[in-house]
């Protein structure tokens, strides 16, 4: 019995691009074109151990959200394999879909759209219990809902209210209670605080930490904000254009970032640690389109250290120090 | 140093069906030449409405009910809509959060940029205007500007679009640029590029900037002075170093302490401000922050404190700032 | 009841004078149709009460102890009484066929929008084909195949009407399906049926209500048209449409009241419904609100 809860191997997710006016029609008068794909994730591998908070960081379009959504089963993977407790997810879903759905939950970025506006808090939190038949009667259901609400810092007396009667932070608490209702082991949190007000963010982060301790949760924490990642995670993977460019223990990555892209991220993030220091712009240009990613290393067009080799070969993730992997020819 | 803008006791209220929303309630500050003033606060703090009020771009049911907006010695509040049109986009311009909606999708970039120049410079010839447009696009770092003038907004990426918006804002060498969350929609590496560009260009052209944002990190690195807003009022204003390293208002203290730091450690509990900002329709009678404050006393719940000087250019709106202990989370006496 | 009037939507509805007028109009007309046998001085369906000598008498005529306020028709039926009984049929056909087409259209639209792909293509192409023919033509074809009768009229109008619901509901479903609460339900393991009916349906109902009110008026007009063309209800039980038709033949012979008064009644019903429908659309359409 290993300690590994979720393992992802060479995961790929491509989205087809619709091109012309007649594309996708049964009657297509135009000559067939080559199908194009957005390579949202293009060969991602990592392992999350029990009790970990594994952070995926990167800019928009790097594939971090797609990775999370593919793991929970919202997207069908194009290639690769996802293992849950050592077994391929496809097999698990075939044999016992309820078990996987119960154990893997997700918290979404926007609590304004992730809660059905026509459902009361009670219905929202009790629905997962009902779907998985976790309670035997109404009374037990009520007690469980009240207990969950208390645990996420909501007054149980509000259970008959609708989501629009709550503020953003409280809504995110409802979403967390809903995710916890099935007593899951693994939660994918997709930017759970970026839609919230600054003074509320700390409340939700602290709550997530408390709950992790209390229920022994394992998180996949998706974020773009490095300082949040530093605070909450013990493992970090930096993604760029559908691939992981650097991965390792959070402390190691923050104290000794190796990949030029990771370094750039650290330099460009504004922080109260850097009062009145001018923002550093070490790279110019923007992220290339994932439809037509550059050959070789995806970062080479923006990289100050790019060589001819980077333009031709794609660097693989190699371990440069214990628990620290980088995909760069410099190391 | 001379102030190019002085806002005095500005009050902008919204008269809604449910009651009066005091979005901006007695805000006063100055902006000096070539200065970057950061206004920070949460959503609903009134920071954006302050920006719109300066341009008098407040639509009913909103109204500026009191106060003065003195811009280069002239009060803008009594000015007519026609007079304001001559100031907007000319001497004072604005950069919005979402570059996709602030550009008109059916016109080319060139048309929109040239129009911005033409409106305020009717004497310029077509060629002069085009030349100026090309020069502006070049200055904001858009490659092959002559060609890109013919492109439509959707043909630009988010970062490039915001550069175009900045070019339009700077088209007439404004004295003041109001930037409302200019980089919130952008990625960090692009944000750094755009913020740097804004600061560099305004320095070169001698413009001042009011930078409205919720991101403490952005103002910490960009601004010369910071004003912290809460529930329609400025609760603390002062030089950036002072606000970040020596905050005096309990809200500012809490805000800065609650932000995760790059230098932080895992497992360290973040400081959290309890509760949330009260509804502007239903403000407590005294200090609006009192219900969440660790240092409130009886007077806080009854009276509204005034801004008090606590240091060089540093003001704070709190009855009890002297009693806040050195650990910044408890109260003496 | 008290709670109903505290509801924001309800309050907003009553802010419009036109809408309140429409609502009153509908209530008065519906009540008088329902209680026709108490209000009407004569039962036009009861042949014993009819006297052919009273045919084509002008408004205000008194015979057999009855004052015919709106005159009589070719059978000696009082126009006022016949309108009250005729409105019953018109409203019944309008409401029942609207409910049927709303249910069928909503389910098909929900299925098409949620599953997409081939299911969507089949349902929506069917809708497109149907919409390319005039509604009346389709109704006529159905009546031609199945024959006359109240049930056939209802079927015909239902078939004509489902398309409008299906299109709107499909559009809203496509938008709702992309929202994260649907993803959230899927992650929890909620089944497709429950997601469609428990999660998405309540969020797409508002436009259905708006279309529903407007379509009732349309259904009533369609029924009247079919009856006018002689394909509707039997002559012994005239609806508003067949009344107008029977009076139309003698309209220029001086007997104007036979078709003008039923026409006014039809107009008032449709106007009332449309006033209410317009207001509902204004309130329930989130795009018109900020």
């Amino acid at each position: 019995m290993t300690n590994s809860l979720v393992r992802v191997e060479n995961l790929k997710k491509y989205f087809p691009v619709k091109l012309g006016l007649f594309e996708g029609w049964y009657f297509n008068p135009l000559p067939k074109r080559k199908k194009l794909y957005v390579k949202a994730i293009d060969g991602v591998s990592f392992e999350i151990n029990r009790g970990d908070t594994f952070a995926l960081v990167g800019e928009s379009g790097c594939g971090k959200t797609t990775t999370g959504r593919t793991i929970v089963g919202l997207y069908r993977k194009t290639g690769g394999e996802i293992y849950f407790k050592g077994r391929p997810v496809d097999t698990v879903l075939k044999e016992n879909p309820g078990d996987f759905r119960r154990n893997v939950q997700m918290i979404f970025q926007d609590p304004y759209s992730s809660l059905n506006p026509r459902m009361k808090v009670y219905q929202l939190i009790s629905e997962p219990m009902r779907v998985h038949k976790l309670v035997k009667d109404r009374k037990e259901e009520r007690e469980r809902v009240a207990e969950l609400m208390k645990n996420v810092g909501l007054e149980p007396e509000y259970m008959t209210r609708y989501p629009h009667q709550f503020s953003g932070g409280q809504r995110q608490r409802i979403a967390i209670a809903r995710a916890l209702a099935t007593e899951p082991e693994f939660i994918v949190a997709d930017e759970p605080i970026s839609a919230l007000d600054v003074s509320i963010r700390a409340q939700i982060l602290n709550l997530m930490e408390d709950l992790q301790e209390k229920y022994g949760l394992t998180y996949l924490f998706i974020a773009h904000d490095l300082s949040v990642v530093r605070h909450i995670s013990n493992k970090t993977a930096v993604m760029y254009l559908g691939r992981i460019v650097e991965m390792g223990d959070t402390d190691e990555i923050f104290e000794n970032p190796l990949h030029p892209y990771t370094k750039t991220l650290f330099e460009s993030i504004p922080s109260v640690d850097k009062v009145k220091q001018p923002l550093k712009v070490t790279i110019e240009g923007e992220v290339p389109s994932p439809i037509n990613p550059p050959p070789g290393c995806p970062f080479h067009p923006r990289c100050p250290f790019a060589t001819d080799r980077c333009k031709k070969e794609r660097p693989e993730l190699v371990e440069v120090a214990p628990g620290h992997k980088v995909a760069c020819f410099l190391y | 140093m001379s102030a190019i803008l002085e806002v005095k006791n500005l009050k902008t209220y919204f008269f809604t069906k449910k009651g009066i929303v005091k979005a901006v309630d007695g805000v006063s500050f100055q902006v000096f030449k070539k200065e970057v003033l950061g206004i920070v606060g949460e959503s609903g703090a009134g920071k954006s409405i302050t920006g719109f009020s300066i341009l008098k771009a407040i639509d009913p049911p909103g109204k500026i009910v009191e106060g003065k907006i003195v811009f280069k010695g002239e009060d803008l509040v009594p000015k007519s809509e026609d007079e304001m049109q001559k100031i907007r986009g000319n001497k004072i311009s604005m950069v919005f959060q979402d570059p996709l909606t602030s550009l008109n999708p059916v016109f080319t970039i060139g048309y929109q940029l040239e129009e911005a120049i033409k409106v305020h410079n009717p004497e310029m010839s077509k060629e002069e205007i085009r030349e100026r447009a090309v020069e502006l696009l070049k200055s904001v770092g858009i490659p092959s500007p002559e060609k890109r003038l013919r492109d439509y907004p959707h043909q630009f990426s988010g970062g490039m679009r915001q550069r175009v918006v900045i070019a339009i804002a700077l088209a007439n060498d404004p004295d003041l640029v109001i930037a409302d969350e200019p980089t919130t929609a952008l990625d960090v590496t692009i944000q750094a590029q755009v913020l740097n560009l804004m600061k560099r260009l305004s320095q070169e052209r001698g413009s001042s900037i009011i930078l409205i944002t919720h991101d403490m990190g952005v103002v910490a690195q960009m601004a010369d002075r910071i004003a912290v807003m809460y529930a329609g009022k400025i609760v603390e204003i002062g030089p950036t170093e002072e606000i970040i390293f020596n905050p005096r208002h309990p809200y500012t203290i809490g805000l800065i302490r609650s932000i995760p730091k790059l230098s932080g450690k895992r497992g360290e509990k973040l400081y959290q401000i309890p509760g949330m900002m009260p509804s502007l329709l239903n403000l407590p009678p005294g200090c609006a922050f009192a219900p969440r404050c660790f240092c409130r006393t009886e007077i806080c719940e009854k009276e509204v404190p005034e801004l008090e000087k606590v240091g060089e250019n540093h003001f704070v709106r709190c009855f009890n700032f002297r009693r806040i202990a050195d650990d910044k989370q408890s109260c003496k006496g | 009841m008290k709670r109903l009037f505290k509801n924001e939507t309800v309050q907003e509805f009553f802010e419009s004078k036109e809408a309140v007028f429409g609502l009153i109009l509908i209530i008065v007309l519906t009540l008088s149709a329902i209680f026709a046998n108490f209000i009407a001085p004569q039962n036009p369906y009861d042949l014993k009460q009819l006297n052919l000598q009273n045919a084509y008498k002008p408004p205000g005529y008194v015979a057999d102890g009855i004052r015919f306020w709106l005159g009589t028709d070719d059978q000696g039926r009082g126009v006022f009484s016949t309108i009250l009984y005729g409105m019953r049929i018109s409203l019944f056909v309008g409401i029942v066929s609207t409910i049927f087409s709303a249910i069928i259209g909503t389910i098909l639209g929900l299925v098409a929008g949620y599953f997409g792909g081939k299911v969507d293509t089949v349902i929506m192409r069917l809708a497109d084909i149907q919409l390319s023919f005039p509604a009346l033509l389709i109704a006529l074809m159905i009546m031609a195949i199945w024959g006359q009768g109240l049930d056939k009229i209802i079927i015909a109008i239902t078939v004509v009407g489902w398309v409008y619901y299906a299109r709107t509901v499909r559009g809203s479903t496509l938008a709702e399906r992309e929202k994260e609460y649907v993803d959230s339900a899927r992650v929890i393991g909620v089944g497709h049926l429950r997601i469609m009916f428990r999660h998405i349906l309540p969020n797409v109902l508002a436009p259905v209500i708006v279309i529903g009110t407007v379509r009732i008026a349309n259904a009533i007009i369609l029924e009247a048209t079919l009856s006018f063309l002689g394909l509707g209800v039997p002559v012994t039980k005239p609806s508003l449409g067949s009344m107008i038709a029977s009076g139309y033949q003698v309209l220029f012979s001086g007997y104007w009241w036979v078709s003008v008064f039923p026409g006014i009644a039809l107009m008032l019903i449709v106007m009332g419904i449309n006033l209410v429908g317009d207001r509902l659309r204004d309130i329930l359409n989130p795009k018109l609100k900020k």
Side-chain angles (χ1 to χ4, degrees):
Chain A
M1 183 82 192
T2 58
N3 209 16
S4 155
L5 187 64
V6 174
R7 189 153 59 89
V8 170
E9 236 166 58
N10 199 23
L11 187 67
K12 288 182 182 168
K13 175 67 198 171
Y14 298 169
F15 293 100
V17 189
K18 282 213 171 164
L19 287 167
L21 188 59
F22 296 100
E23 213 79 22
W25 285 37
Y26 290 114
F27 167 73
N28 186 352
L30 302 175
K32 275 224 154 68
R33 270 185 282 189
K34 206 181 132 219
K35 267 212 160 175
L36 288 184
Y37 291 96
V38 175
K39 296 180 172 172
I41 353 174
D42 198 14
V44 161
S45 308
F46 57 83
E47 189 170 16
I48 306 175
N49 289 332
R50 250 173 242 276
D52 270 359
T53 300
F54 188 93
L56 273 182
V57 245
E59 298 178 89
S60 53
C62 72
K64 54 189 195 302
T65 295
T66 311
T67 307
R69 289 180 153 248
T70 311
I71 290 175
V72 298
L74 281 174
Y75 294 146
R76 202 178 298 242
K77 64 184 192 313
T78 311
E81 196 54 82
I82 305 164
Y83 297 93
F84 184 68
K85 294 185 186 168
R87 301 175 61 220
V89 165
D90 292 340
T91 326
V92 177
L93 277 176
K94 226 172 269 165
E95 287 166 9
N96 192 355
D99 186 51
F100 180 77
R101 296 258 171 258
R102 204 172 70 76
N103 276 313
V104 178
Q105 287 298 326
M106 185 157 180
I107 302 168
F108 295 85
Q109 173 173 4
D110 182 3
Y112 288 84
S113 92
S114 69
L115 300 174
N116 190 336
R118 304 273 167 177
M119 283 168 92
K120 288 178 179 166
V121 175
Y122 181 83
Q123 294 166 311
L124 285 166
I125 300 177
S126 65
E127 185 180 42
M129 304 175 201
R130 282 191 194 184
V131 168
H132 294 285
K133 304 193 174 60
L134 299 176
V135 280
K136 48 181 197 302
D137 52 27
R138 273 249 155 190
K139 191 172 156 271
E140 192 191 342
E141 186 178 276
R142 237 189 128 70
E143 279 164 11
R144 283 276 293 136
V145 171
E147 185 199 323
L148 279 167
M149 286 182 76
K150 254 185 256 163
N151 286 344
V152 298
L154 289 168
E155 296 287 332
E157 63 201 78
Y158 293 156
M159 61 171 71
T160 52
R161 294 196 181 178
Y162 286 97
H164 69 87
Q165 292 167 294
F166 294 92
S167 68
Q170 288 172 316
R171 283 186 205 214
Q172 200 58 296
R173 286 174 195 267
I174 299 171
I176 292 173
R178 182 167 151 93
L180 287 176
T182 57
E183 296 173 347
E185 293 178 55
F186 180 59
I187 293 184
V188 174
D190 185 6
E191 307 240 13
I193 60 163
S194 28
L196 305 176
D197 264 324
V198 190
S199 78
I200 306 299
R201 290 182 180 178
Q203 296 177 2
I204 298 296
L205 278 182
N206 284 344
L207 175 69
M208 284 185 66
E209 280 177 319
D210 290 345
L211 294 171
Q212 178 167 42
E213 211 167 290
K214 190 165 176 177
Y215 295 103
L217 296 168
T218 305
Y219 289 132
L220 172 64
F221 195 95
I222 297 164
H224 69 271
D225 187 341
L226 281 168
S227 26
V228 172
V229 167
R230 165 98 212 198
H231 180 79
I232 194 146
S233 74
N234 61 337
K235 294 270 167 54
T236 301
V238 182
M239 284 187 78
Y240 187 78
L241 221 58
R243 291 174 197 163
I244 291 178
V245 295
E246 185 162 6
M247 177 163 70
D249 292 337
T250 304
D251 288 343
E252 172 70 15
I253 295 223
F254 276 70
E255 273 147 35
N256 185 21
L258 295 175
H259 197 280
Y261 178 65
T262 316
K263 288 182 182 168
T264 304
L265 275 185
F266 278 115
E267 279 156 5
S268 42
I269 181 177
S271 166
V272 288
D273 297 336
K274 302 188 249 185
V275 169
K276 278 204 160 171
Q277 293 171 19
L279 283 155
K280 267 193 213 157
V281 180
T282 43
I283 52 167
E284 281 296 341
E286 304 191 2
V287 186
S289 153
I291 297 177
N292 204 357
C297 172
F299 189 59
H300 86 256
R302 300 172 79 188
C303 183
F305 310 108
T307 60
D308 275 345
R309 192 176 169 205
C310 303
K311 288 174 194 159
K312 287 179 206 130
E313 270 178 74
R314 189 223 272 210
E316 295 300 323
L317 266 181
V318 282
E319 191 150 12
V320 289
H324 191 167
K325 289 180 179 176
V326 186
C328 182
F329 290 128
L330 288 174
Y331 303 98
Chain B
M1 265 206 301
S2 64
I4 64 150
L5 178 81
E6 188 170 9
V7 175
K8 283 183 197 160
N9 196 27
L10 178 71
K11 289 183 182 178
T12 306
Y13 292 175
F14 286 78
F15 299 88
T16 68
K17 257 192 261 175
K18 290 176 181 166
I20 300 171
V21 177
K22 298 178 177 177
V24 178
D25 195 17
V27 162
S28 306
F29 61 87
Q30 292 176 314
V31 182
F32 300 104
K33 202 160 171 53
K34 282 194 172 186
E35 182 193 41
V36 179
L37 172 72
I39 301 183
V40 273
E42 299 172 60
S43 50
K47 52 192 196 305
S48 290
I49 304 295
T50 306
F52 283 114
S53 300
I54 294 169
L55 281 170
K56 286 190 50 185
I58 300 286
D59 294 323
K63 203 176 164 242
I64 299 175
V65 292
E66 214 185 303
K68 278 185 180 162
I69 301 165
V70 182
F71 176 67
K72 295 174 98 178
E74 268 185 290
D75 188 4
L76 299 183
V77 174
K79 281 209 189 301
S80 71
E81 186 55 30
D82 282 350
E83 289 171 301
M84 282 310 294
Q85 289 285 10
K86 293 199 185 97
I87 294 170
R88 280 186 213 133
N90 187 16
K91 296 197 176 105
I92 306 177
S93 60
M94 196 147 181
V95 176
F96 296 95
Q97 174 175 350
D98 188 354
L100 195 53
T101 50
S102 53
L103 290 171
N104 190 332
V106 300
F107 294 118
T108 61
I109 294 299
Y111 177 86
Q112 299 185 51
L113 191 50
E114 282 164 25
E115 194 189 29
I117 303 168
K118 197 159 65 190
V119 169
H120 298 290
N121 302 287
E123 75 290 345
M124 274 169 86
S125 75
K126 245 185 160 174
E127 288 70 37
E128 283 175 310
I129 291 175
R130 163 125 321 193
E131 228 170 82
R132 182 139 173 71
V134 171
E135 180 221 317
L136 274 164
L137 275 197
K138 201 185 274 168
S139 73
V140 294
I142 289 179
S144 50
E146 290 92 349
K147 236 170 76 193
R148 303 241 51 185
L149 276 178
R150 288 194 294 271
D151 285 347
Y152 289 89
H154 70 89
Q155 290 165 297
F156 289 77
S157 69
M160 284 295 161
R161 249 182 250 135
Q162 199 61 301
R163 286 168 190 257
V164 173
V165 173
I166 291 171
I168 292 175
L170 295 176
N172 300 304
D173 285 329
D175 295 301
L176 177 65
V177 178
I178 301 171
D180 188 2
E181 305 266 9
T183 54
T184 308
L186 304 178
D187 275 318
V188 273
T189 55
I190 311 298
Q191 164 170 284
Q193 296 171 8
V194 170
L195 287 176
N196 265 357
L197 174 79
M198 246 173 70
K199 187 149 184 177
R200 183 171 56 80
L201 289 180
S202 60
Q203 294 283 323
E204 283 170 14
R205 287 158 191 258
S207 318
S208 311
I209 299 179
I210 295 181
L211 180 65
I212 297 167
T213 175
H214 68 277
D215 191 332
M216 263 297 185
V218 167
V219 283
Q221 288 191 252
M222 283 283 290
D224 299 305
R225 281 191 309 136
I226 297 176
V228 182
M229 283 191 78
Y230 188 80
K233 288 188 166 68
I234 290 180
V235 293
E236 185 162 6
I237 182 167
T240 302
E241 297 90 335
E242 277 282 296
I243 299 285
I244 302 291
F245 296 127
N246 186 23
R248 305 297 292 271
H249 194 281
Y251 176 63
T252 321
I253 292 170
L255 208 54
I256 290 169
R257 285 174 50 100
S258 72
I259 303 168
K261 311 277 185 304
L262 273 178
S263 54
K265 278 261 148 29
R266 183 176 189 238
E268 255 177 13
K269 264 268 140 29
L270 283 175
Y271 174 81
Q272 64 184 63
I273 307 175
M276 55 191 167
M277 200 165 79
S279 154
L280 290 174
L281 273 168
N282 198 6
L283 284 178
C287 170
F289 187 65
R292 303 174 76 182
C293 185
F294 59 82
C295 203
R296 65 172 171 270
T297 47
E298 231 170 87
I299 186 168
C300 302
E301 276 150 23
K302 284 184 202 130
E303 279 173 56
V304 181
E306 292 300 319
L307 275 177
E308 252 184 89
K309 190 167 180 165
V310 292
E312 186 76 27
N313 283 324
H314 188 175
F315 299 85
V316 63
R317 189 188 290 278
C318 180
F319 290 117
N320 295 326
F321 68 88
R322 287 182 195 85
R323 298 176 46 238
I324 294 167
D326 295 332
D327 65 354
K328 302 268 186 195
Q329 49 188 319
S330 56
C331 213
K332 285 183 284 195
Chain C
M1 200 64 186
K2 233 182 192 171
R3 254 180 72 193
L4 183 70
F5 281 97
K6 271 192 187 154
N7 186 307
E8 248 175 77
T9 315
V10 175
Q11 279 181 352
E12 222 174 309
F13 180 86
F14 281 100
E15 275 168 25
S16 156
K17 281 194 191 100
E18 292 92 345
V20 173
F21 174 69
L23 189 65
I24 291 172
L25 208 57
I26 294 173
I27 290 173
V28 168
L29 291 171
T30 312
L31 286 179
S32 46
I34 291 171
F35 298 107
N37 38 345
F38 299 107
I39 303 167
Q42 184 195 34
N43 182 355
Y45 296 168
D46 185 2
L47 290 175
K48 277 177 274 174
Q49 292 188 26
L50 303 184
N51 187 346
L52 272 178
Q53 281 180 342
N54 293 339
Y56 293 136
K57 298 295 183 213
Y61 178 79
V62 185
D64 304 335
I66 304 168
R67 184 179 273 273
F68 295 105
W69 286 107
L70 301 179
T72 62
D73 67 0
D74 55 344
Q75 310 281 323
R77 292 181 292 214
V79 171
F80 179 61
S81 308
T82 321
I83 285 176
L84 290 181
Y85 279 84
M87 278 199 312
R88 261 189 189 179
I89 297 173
S90 294
L91 284 169
F92 177 75
V93 171
I95 291 168
V96 170
S97 59
T98 302
I99 290 172
F100 283 163
S101 47
I103 292 172
I104 294 169
T106 304
I107 292 174
L108 287 177
L110 208 53
V111 169
Y114 184 75
F115 289 110
K118 290 220 169 75
V119 185
D120 182 33
T121 313
V122 170
I123 295 176
M124 291 335 284
R125 283 313 84 83
L126 197 68
D128 286 346
I129 292 167
Q130 196 186 314
L131 275 178
S132 62
F133 292 100
L136 186 60
L137 189 65
I138 294 164
L140 282 174
M141 286 192 318
I142 294 167
M143 307 283 297
I145 296 167
W146 281 328
Q148 294 189 7
L150 206 58
D151 48 343
K152 310 293 188 314
I153 285 204
I154 290 175
I155 293 173
I157 298 176
T158 305
V159 170
V160 167
W162 73 273
V163 192
Y164 302 94
Y165 303 94
R167 290 193 132 200
T168 314
V169 169
R170 173 186 174 263
S172 319
T173 307
L174 281 178
E176 294 295 320
R177 197 182 61 175
E178 297 303 313
K179 293 203 177 147
E180 281 182 338
Y181 71 81
V182 176
D183 292 331
S184 162
R186 281 177 61 199
V187 171
I188 278 163
V190 181
H192 290 308
L193 271 182
R194 198 178 148 88
I195 292 184
M196 273 163 61
F197 289 97
R198 186 72 190 80
H199 287 262
I200 297 180
L201 182 62
N203 287 294
V204 298
L205 268 187
V208 172
I209 293 167
V210 174
I211 303 172
T213 39
V214 179
R215 292 304 303 177
I216 288 180
N218 270 299
I220 289 172
I221 292 174
L222 189 55
E223 182 275 326
T225 315
L226 288 170
S227 299
F228 182 84
L229 294 172
L231 282 165
V233 291
V235 215
T236 48
K237 291 189 173 177
S239 73
L240 292 176
S242 41
M243 286 178 76
I244 297 171
S246 68
Y248 173 71
Q249 293 152 7
V250 292
L251 185 61
F252 297 106
S253 316
Y255 310 128
W256 54 270
W257 55 86
V258 185
S259 60
V260 165
F261 288 119
I264 291 173
L266 182 66
M267 192 197 79
L268 287 178
I269 295 177
V270 171
M271 190 174 81
I273 294 172
N274 282 336
L275 286 175
V276 171
D278 281 355
R279 185 65 190 161
L280 283 180
R281 193 189 51 212
D282 291 350
I283 298 171
L284 295 177
N285 189 346
K287 274 183 199 153
L288 291 176
K289 276 200 205 171
K290 58 162 187 162

